[in-house]
Amino acid sequence: FIRFGAVDWKSTLYIDGVKVGDHEGGYTPFEYDITQYVTPGKTHRLTLWVEDRAIYNHDEYPALVGKQGLEAPCGYTHTSGIWQDVILEGRTKTYLDFAHANPDIANSSVQFDIGVISDTAKDLTVKFGFVGKKWDEEQGVDILNGSSFSGEQAVKVDAGVTKISLDPTAIADQKL
């Protein structure tokens, strides 16, 4: 997988001259599964074509234009293109696609929604943990703040994408 943190604004990825995919939007991460385009041990050419024709105060092009926009009146240098991290990542045939934490402050708990992608149906154990810290500028160290929790839950996933709502987990010494 190749993951782009953000590319401003419109992009197309090619590997060895073969189009892999397109993306529009300058502020959101996106990724491509490039498994079918690469062979381990072989050299490949990766090309990312990027277009950003947005100009400050011209609305004919759909991209957002902020303070770094071409002809913006604030004096910033125009920036465009790849502006967040690019990561090449190997993944197993079963992996976590997303995790979303849903805090319940009134009940001092958190519940997670997750998405798992798998090549086959299987039983898994999801383990998670969080250690709350705050930075102490005077001492120059992290201080534990008491909002730590951990848990695990057995789940069943299907082949393909499975969305799961895990059971809520109590936070013993919740700090807001």
Side-chain angles (χ1 to χ4, degrees):
F1 287 79
I2 187 164
R3 179 177 178 81
F4 295 86
V7 176
D8 192 15
W9 176 76
K10 182 179 181 181
S11 64
T12 303
L13 177 67
Y14 299 89
I15 295 181
D16 297 331
V18 177
K19 182 178 175 180
V20 175
D22 298 304
H23 183 264
E24 290 184 3
Y27 305 96
T28 55
F30 59 98
E31 67 184 20
Y32 300 104
D33 180 349
I34 61 172
T35 306
Q36 70 184 40
Y37 300 95
V38 297
T39 304
K42 184 178 174 192
T43 299
H44 297 278
R45 180 179 299 271
L46 183 142
T47 305
L48 186 70
W49 172 87
V50 179
E51 174 186 288
D52 183 5
R53 292 185 282 144
I55 298 175
Y56 183 80
N57 219 16
H58 290 81
D59 297 331
E60 62 275 3
Y61 194 73
L64 294 174
V65 179
K67 61 187 178 184
Q68 287 89 15
L70 193 60
E71 298 180 10
C74 62
Y76 283 92
T77 302
H78 175 67
T79 58
S80 189
I82 301 170
W83 68 279
Q84 292 288 326
D85 292 341
V86 179
I87 299 167
L88 186 61
E89 178 181 65
R91 296 180 184 167
T92 62
K93 293 184 179 187
T94 300
Y95 61 92
L96 184 67
D97 186 43
F98 71 87
H100 185 266
N102 303 298
D104 183 346
I105 294 169
N107 291 308
S108 296
S109 66
V110 64
Q111 180 271 322
F112 291 96
D113 293 324
I114 63 171
V116 178
I117 296 180
S118 182
D119 62 331
T120 61
K122 57 182 74 175
D123 295 331
L124 301 172
T125 299
V126 177
K127 296 181 181 183
F128 55 89
F130 172 82
V131 177
K133 299 176 184 178
K134 64 180 179 179
W135 178 254
D136 185 313
E137 188 66 36
E138 289 180 14
Q139 295 181 44
V141 296
D142 282 324
I143 307 274
L144 297 178
N145 75 358
S147 292
S148 301
F149 62 87
S150 63
E152 65 180 64
Q153 182 177 330
V155 298
K156 293 182 181 294
V157 298
D158 298 320
V161 179
T162 304
K163 294 181 182 176
I164 301 164
S165 291
L166 299 178
D167 297 333
T169 299
I171 303 172
D173 189 14
Q174 173 178 268
K175 302 286 189 229
L176 302 179

